Amino acid sequence: MVNAQGQILTFYQSHRKTINALAGHDCCKTVDRAQGSEWVDGILSTGRLHGVGFLKDRRCVNVALTRFKARLIVLLNVRCGIANPFWTALHRFLSYL
């Protein structure tokens, strides 16, 4: 998934290291490192089991969501997502598309 066509992003450095270790190569970047980059497809792994952390920061979320031209898969713990009005509204909006 790492090329000009696609990328995996996460908000957390430790999560990036875990994904890359499991994949056996450098396939994941943090959202901070992705600023200014663009891909056709992507996966955003929010990496949270408790609380919302970076998911509360709309600027970080904006960078993460706007890096991809065509398709984006968001991996989000539902309990974390529903605790945040922004993610709830985004889910509601996308459900109608």
Side-chain angles (χ1 to χ4, degrees), residues 47-65:
R48 295 295 293 193
L49 295 176
H50 309 287
V52 289
F54 279 107
L55 302 179
K56 290 188 296 190
D57 186 337
R58 287 185 182 205
R59 289 171 292 170
C60 286
V61 171
N62 181 57
V63 169
L65 295 177

Side-chain angles (χ1 to χ4, degrees), residues 10-78:
T10 184
F11 293 99
Y12 303 97
Q13 190 66 246
S14 61
H15 195 206
R16 181 196 65 79
K17 289 178 183 177
T18 301
I19 291 170
N20 287 337
L22 289 170
H25 64 284
D26 190 21
C27 64
C28 183
K29 293 184 179 191
T30 61
V31 172
D32 289 340
R33 298 281 317 253
Q35 198 160 359
S37 299
E38 193 173 73
W39 298 276
V40 175
D41 303 314
I43 297 172
L44 174 62
S45 181
T46 61
R48 295 295 293 193
L49 295 176
H50 309 287
V52 289
F54 279 107
L55 302 179
K56 290 188 296 190
D57 186 337
R58 287 185 182 205
R59 289 171 292 170
C60 286
V61 171
N62 181 57
V63 169
L65 295 177
T66 59
R67 299 303 92 198
F68 307 99
K69 296 178 188 177
R71 289 171 291 274
L72 173 62
I73 297 169
V74 177
L75 304 176
L76 173 71
N77 182 311
V78 174

